[in-house]
Structure formats: structure tokens, C-alpha cells
């Protein structure tokens, strides 16, 4: 049995048993593949799947779990910085979560962030794929996680009228950007910061909104 044939069968099994584990992988419907190593990206919670693939196929696969290479636990790219972003509150824009938020470690969820426009002008937000960008920070404000899954390229705008609020969707990921914490942020209290693209040039950072990561 060729390596690709065995890998193809394994990927088909993973898709069947753990449909959300694979983010990027060579399509199992392909009749034959010879371009080793095959690149496979997995969700941050799918460590058992990554360990099995690494044990079975070794250097024939290039594995990434969440934001890091596996098993080296090395970041794929440096964490983003919020330091250059203007605080949204200083521009009259407030943010809050409409209800308590809890996310399982290594997973991501779609939720809403309520945008309050305290200015006398209409605020227009741009969101890739209809979702605001966001990161997760610790108590010190250090960026610690973000969603690293596939993104859509379509651009959707949301208009917030003066002195009103609007609930805008975002996707919150818990893929760790700090190797010392592992592939997924551990359980505890963390902070969601939304990145607000206003107009064509300005990106603002929201206030930090507390939420919970569960085991």
C-alpha cells in the first residue's frame, strides 16, 4: 500500500469521526498524490489526531495544530500587536458582550459584540466574511490567542447610527499564540478584544471584554 493510499484512508476516517478536526488537508477524493510532505492543519483541540498522524506518517506529513507546527510547538507566525491600534472608546465607540461567554479550550465560537456609537456620525464597520476580527488577551493585555482557521474573502459592512447600538458577529478562537501555554489556551478567565475596521484606513481596538475558557 502506498503512503498516499494509507494517508487517504486515514483522512477519510478522521473526516468521518472528527469532522471539525481538519482545517486544511489534501482532498481525500484525489485519486493519487505524490507531492510529499502533505500539509495538514488541525484544530487546536485535535492533539490525539495529530499524534496519530505523526506516528503513522512521520516526515511524509507537515502538521500544524492551531497556530503552531506539530510536534515542534513552534509558532507559524508572530502574534499580532494591539499597540498601534487606537482605543475605540477614545473615538466614542463602546463595546460589550450581550451575555456571558464560555468557550471550550481549543475550540472557537461565533458570538456577537454589541457596538455602541456615542458619536453624532454614522459609523461603518467592515468585516471580512461578515465577522469582526478579534484576539484573546491575558490579564496583562498580551495577545495570547486568535482564530487561525480558514477565512472568507468577502467584505460585509455594518452601519451603526449615532447614539445607537448594533450587535455584530465575530468569531472567537482559543488557538494559543504562546508556546509555553500549549496549543490551546487553558481554562480560566481571558479577555476578548475586537478589531474594528472603520472606513478604509483606521482599525480600532475595542475595550477588553471578559469571558471564560472551560476545560
Amino acid at each position: 500500500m502506498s503512503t498516499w493510499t494509507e494517508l487517504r484512508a486515514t483522512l477519510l476516517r478522521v473526516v468521518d469521526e472528527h469532522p471539525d478536526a481538519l482545517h486544511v488537508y489534501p482532498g481525500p477524493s484525489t485519486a493519487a498524490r505524490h507531492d510529499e510532505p502533505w500539509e495538514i492543519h488541525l484544530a487546536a483541540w485535535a492533539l490525539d489526531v495529530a499524534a496519530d498522524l505523526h506516528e503513522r506518517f512521520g516526515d511524509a506529513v507537515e502538521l500544524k495544530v492551531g497556530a503552531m507546527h506539530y510536534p515542534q510547538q513552534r509558532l507559524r507566525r508572530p502574534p499580532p500587536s494591539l499597540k498601534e491600534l487606537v482605543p475605540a472608546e477614545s473615538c466614542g465607540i463602546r463595546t460589550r458582550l450581550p451575555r456571558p461567554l464560555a468557550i471550550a479550550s481549543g475550540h472557537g465560537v461565533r458570538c456577537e459584540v454589541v457596538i455602541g456609537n456615542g458619536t453624532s456620525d454614522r459609523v461603518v464597520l467592515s468585516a471580512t466574511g461578515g465577522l469582526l476580527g478579534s484576539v484573546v488577551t491575558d490579564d496583562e493585555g498580551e495577545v495570547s490567542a486568535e482564530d487561525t482557521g480558514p477565512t472568507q474573502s468577502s467584505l460585509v459592512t455594518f452601519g451603526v447610527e449615532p447614539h445607537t447600538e448594533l450587535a455584530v458577529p465575530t468569531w472567537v478562537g482559543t488557538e494559543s499564540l504562546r508556546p509555553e501555554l500549549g496549543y490551546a489556551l487553558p481554562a480560566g478567565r481571558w479577555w476578548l478584544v475586537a478589531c474594528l475596521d472603520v472606513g478604509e484606513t483606521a482599525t480600532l481596538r475595542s475595550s477588553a471584554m471578559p469571558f471564560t475558557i472551560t476545560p
Side-chain angles (χ1 to χ4, degrees):
M1 179 183 297
S2 70
T3 301
W4 167 246
T5 300
E6 184 180 355
L7 177 59
R8 179 179 181 275
T10 301
L11 292 174
L12 287 170
R13 176 177 54 80
V14 172
V15 168
D16 182 58
E17 297 177 357
H18 309 284
D20 298 324
L22 295 170
H23 288 174
V24 175
Y25 58 99
S29 61
T30 303
R33 293 290 294 265
H34 304 286
D35 47 346
E36 296 184 23
W38 292 286
E39 188 171 346
I40 300 173
H41 298 189
L42 299 109
W45 54 264
L47 285 174
D48 288 346
V49 177
D52 180 64
L53 290 171
H54 179 66
E55 181 179 356
R56 286 171 176 264
F57 302 103
D59 293 340
V61 292
E62 183 177 323
L63 302 175
K64 297 179 178 68
V65 175
M68 302 183 207
H69 294 273
Y70 183 93
Q72 301 92 339
Q73 205 160 311
R74 185 180 72 252
L75 280 173
R76 291 157 53 186
R77 59 180 181 272
S81 174
L82 299 177
K83 294 181 179 179
E84 304 301 321
L85 303 185
V86 176
E89 286 188 340
S90 70
C91 300
I93 299 175
R94 305 176 308 277
T95 56
R96 62 180 176 86
L97 291 172
R99 61 189 64 85
L101 176 64
I103 307 174
S105 177
H107 292 257
V109 298
R110 180 186 172 116
C111 70
E112 291 183 329
V113 173
V114 177
I115 311 295
N117 179 7
T119 76
S120 58
D121 299 314
R122 186 172 188 261
V123 172
V124 177
L125 304 175
S126 299
T128 302
L131 299 171
L132 295 176
S134 70
V135 296
V136 176
T137 70
D138 62 11
D139 289 339
E140 307 300 322
E142 180 180 352
V143 175
S144 302
E146 66 177 348
D147 176 59
T148 61
T151 59
Q152 300 181 35
S153 59
S154 59
L155 197 64
V156 178
T157 59
F158 297 89
V160 189
E161 300 299 329
H163 309 294
T164 66
E165 290 186 329
L166 180 68
V168 180
T170 186
W171 185 271
V172 186
T174 61
E175 295 94 332
S176 173
L177 299 177
R178 294 166 58 180
E180 71 273 16
L181 296 178
Y183 291 94
L185 291 188
R189 186 178 74 162
W190 298 86
W191 302 84
L192 170 64
V193 176
C195 301
L196 310 177
D197 291 327
V198 181
E200 297 182 356
T201 57
T203 300
L204 312 179
R205 56 179 166 87
S206 77
S207 57
M209 298 167 279
F211 75 100
T212 301
I213 293 179
T214 60

